[in-house]
Amino acid sequence: MVKISVIMPSLNVAKYIKKCMDSVVNQTMKDIEIIVVDAGSVDGTEEIIRSYAERDARVRFIHSDKKSYGYQVNVGLSMAAGEYVGIVETDDWIEPDTYEVLYQYARKYEADYVRGMSQLYKETDGGLSYGLCFSVFPQKLYEDNHGVIWVNPQEQKDILRNDAFLWNGIYNRNFLRGIKLNETAGASYQDVGFLVQVYDKAVRAVYVDKLIYHYRKDNDDCSCYSRNAFRYLAEEYRFVQQFFEREDKGWKLFSDAKYFQQIYTRFRLMAQTGSYWEEAVPYIEEMQEYFQGRQDVLPALGESYREGFVSFLETPRKLYEALEKENTAKQETWNAFLDTLRERKIIIFGSGKRGYFLQFLLYKKRVGHVLGYCDNDLSKTGQVLYGLKVKTLEEWRQASDIGDICYVITARAYAEEIEKQLLLSGIAEENIVLFDLPMDFSAL
């Protein structure tokens, strides 16, 4: 028996499919089958996938006559022959040993499913990438459990609210019998109903402190940015409610908390566009009606969502206006900072995480010209980090015109000390900028 069946739904992802396919076909675990279900791509995606199938007998190309993420995954599930099943979205990519690691833990713990860590990431045109890791549990809990956390979802129902993705793990195929995705149009939120069914059935779940999956957040064609997303969200939770009519076991409260968190996130994305989507109004009204009088949901929500929940029940536009105001203020702050660096030659002082965030931000926004890094840690001198050379302040002074360079301080803990160092070295105050904003992934 094949160890793992990898199901890959695709639609018009020619720009990303090669990186994704390479990450799967080159897995250290070779005993896998790869089922790519394409929903009628017209941008060259199909031809690329077929070329992989011609070179690798493990790859199967399947044409889907329906543009539905849920339908495509269900088609893959119906064809899967592996002991375990994994799902990879075709604008994402996975680490080389993803399936070897997950399979090892799945067999060791006889798990219904195993999940690893994921990373939200974006790329620049030059191939530079920045990722934000997220996990279901605090890092300290992983450390206390030697990197592996065993969970019985029946006893920890908040897992439904906190673990929101289906693609960062593998599932025992026999365990999945009877579980299917909703087959509505599009590709948004159709993992919600699937996960409700998984958590309702699972008793042996394993979470591993190992980065395995990279989830792309800079695909402008991604369905999560669609103005139809409120409709997709409402449709999926109608499907979920049908499940609760048959079987609940105490899951509904956490499902409702997750539902509002997704509504809140959708409102935030809508606010970023600067307009209230009139085509979404009927679905927003449906959502508001669903939550009227539901004060029982408040304790199950994260603290940051509770104020938004109250505003939403009063009037959805009040929530939108608050988020739009917050977004406008944030954008003004970031734009003011970036304006100080436009058309300038820049040396980033501090080559740690904040320094790299700044480099990526400037590249992504096409602001300024970054020459390299300056760092007082002499062990880094001469290194090339992220394509840029690390030099001492004295080396930069000797190599460049002091008056023509802007030094941006990223090490907030030492900012005052570094600023004094630059001033004493003859750097004019107007050529010193402090980067003291948070490393906000949404700003990229």
Side-chain angles (χ1 to χ4, degrees), residues 286-343:
E286 175 185 336
M287 294 167 180
Q288 185 194 29
E289 182 179 355
Y290 178 80
F291 281 105
Q292 283 295 342
R294 293 294 309 283
Q295 300 303 311
D296 60 312
V297 178
L298 277 170
L301 289 171
E303 185 174 349
S304 60
Y305 295 100
R306 292 172 189 165
E307 184 177 347
F309 184 78
V310 174
S311 297
F312 178 73
L313 291 188
E314 184 176 337
T315 167
R317 285 186 182 271
K318 182 176 181 180
L319 173 60
Y320 168 80
E321 289 167 1
L323 292 173
E324 183 185 35
K325 182 178 180 180
E326 176 187 302
N327 180 71
T328 299
K330 181 191 293 185
Q331 291 303 316
E332 288 176 352
T333 300
W334 280 105
N335 289 337
F337 170 75
L338 292 172
D339 284 344
T340 65
L341 301 177
R342 295 188 192 280
E343 310 302 326

Side-chain angles (χ1 to χ4, degrees), residues 225-235 238 266-267 270 273 275-287 317:
Y225 297 110
S226 169
R227 293 172 73 97
N228 291 320
F230 278 106
R231 173 167 67 86
Y232 298 148
L233 184 57
E235 288 173 344
R238 288 182 211 139
R266 179 54 46 194
F267 264 78
M270 181 169 64
T273 71
S275 65
Y276 197 88
W277 301 342
E278 294 303 324
E279 59 266 57
V281 168
Y283 305 102
I284 293 172
E285 290 176 347
E286 175 185 336
M287 294 167 180
R317 285 186 182 271

Side-chain angles (χ1 to χ4, degrees), residues 199-266:
Y199 299 140
D200 178 69
K201 187 176 181 180
V203 294
R204 295 183 301 275
V206 175
Y207 291 80
V208 184
D209 185 17
K210 158 73 175 169
L211 177 61
I212 63 161
Y213 197 98
H214 301 265
Y215 178 67
R216 184 182 295 278
K217 293 294 287 182
D218 54 5
N219 180 1
D220 293 335
D221 295 325
C222 175
S223 60
C224 66
Y225 297 110
S226 169
R227 293 172 73 97
N228 291 320
F230 278 106
R231 173 167 67 86
Y232 298 148
L233 184 57
E235 288 173 344
E236 186 64 14
Y237 274 93
R238 288 182 211 139
F239 174 74
V240 169
Q241 295 311 314
Q242 291 174 7
F243 172 81
F244 289 137
E245 289 174 3
R246 301 191 306 271
E247 190 169 5
D248 183 349
K249 299 180 185 177
W251 292 105
K252 188 175 185 301
L253 178 61
F254 294 102
S255 174
D256 287 343
K258 180 178 178 179
Y259 187 12
F260 179 74
Q261 288 177 187
Q262 290 174 308
I263 292 170
Y264 185 93
T265 299
R266 179 54 46 194

Side-chain angles (χ1 to χ4, degrees), residues 327-427:
N327 180 71
T328 299
K330 181 191 293 185
Q331 291 303 316
E332 288 176 352
T333 300
W334 280 105
N335 289 337
F337 170 75
L338 292 172
D339 284 344
T340 65
L341 301 177
R342 295 188 192 280
E343 310 302 326
R344 303 199 69 177
K345 295 178 182 177
I346 298 163
I347 294 172
I348 299 174
F349 207 124
S351 58
K353 292 180 180 179
R354 287 182 58 78
Y356 179 59
F357 179 92
L358 176 62
Q359 179 191 349
F360 185 89
L361 173 70
L362 296 176
Y363 281 17
K364 191 75 173 175
K365 301 295 185 181
R366 293 186 171 88
V367 170
H369 175 58
V370 182
L371 301 179
Y373 284 97
C374 183
D375 205 297
N376 288 328
D377 182 351
L378 298 182
S379 68
K380 295 183 177 181
T381 302
Q383 292 184 24
V384 176
L385 298 178
Y386 327 114
L388 297 176
K389 196 73 172 286
V390 182
K391 299 181 181 180
T392 65
L393 177 57
E394 185 59 29
E395 287 174 329
W396 280 116
R397 290 181 70 245
Q398 294 175 2
S400 59
D401 179 358
I402 295 176
D404 193 36
I405 302 296
C406 176
Y407 289 81
V408 183
I409 303 170
T410 62
R412 287 193 290 189
Y414 304 100
E416 186 175 345
E417 178 183 331
I418 292 172
E419 183 178 16
K420 289 180 180 178
Q421 178 186 1
L422 290 169
L423 291 170
L424 289 173
S425 297
I427 310 299

Side-chain angles (χ1 to χ4, degrees), residues 9-29:
S10 68
L11 177 63
N12 295 330
V13 285
K15 184 177 178 182
Y16 311 112
I17 187 68
K18 288 184 178 179
K19 182 170 186 174
C20 181
M21 289 297 299
D22 285 343
S23 75
V24 176
V25 300
N26 293 321
Q27 284 290 295
T28 55
M29 172 177 280

